[in-house]
Amino acid sequence: MFWMEMGRLGYRKREPNEPDADHPQRLAKMVRFHQRELGYSRSGMATLLDVVPAEFDRLYGNQAADIAENDHRPMAHIRLVK
């Protein structure tokens, strides 16, 4: 009886009050930093991450662009002092 009620309410396929999907931002910020501040190209980033450029675009391209548009904080600059 319990499982019938759970199925009727749709809880066997989806949890009740399930939170929205999380969209990680730290990785997209790291990709953007490597491209903007360190000068990595799209193909260079793909090589660094061991994926083909098309896969890099699929995995990181839109996220990095979305973060870039919404993140207006200045980037910290690191300087080597001898």
Side-chain angles (χ1 to χ4, degrees), residues 18-77:
E18 191 170 308
D20 293 334
D22 185 29
H23 300 285
Q25 295 184 359
R26 188 173 308 268
L27 182 59
K29 287 181 180 182
M30 290 170 50
V31 168
R32 183 182 53 146
F33 175 81
H34 277 75
Q35 289 182 311
R36 287 187 177 174
E37 301 297 323
L38 301 179
Y40 278 81
S41 66
R42 179 176 140 270
S43 62
M45 286 299 299
T47 301
L48 181 68
L49 296 169
D50 197 28
V51 296
V52 295
E55 184 72 2
F56 171 79
D57 290 341
R58 187 183 75 74
L59 292 171
Y60 308 107
N62 291 338
Q63 290 178 353
D66 291 344
I67 296 298
E69 291 174 7
N70 296 324
D71 186 8
H72 300 292
R73 293 175 293 159
M75 295 291 290
H77 292 279

Side-chain angles (χ1 to χ4, degrees), residues 1-13:
M1 192 70 151
F2 173 75
W3 290 111
M4 289 174 58
E5 183 68 12
M6 294 290 281
R8 185 182 70 75
L9 294 171
Y11 294 166
R12 293 185 71 181
K13 294 181 182 177

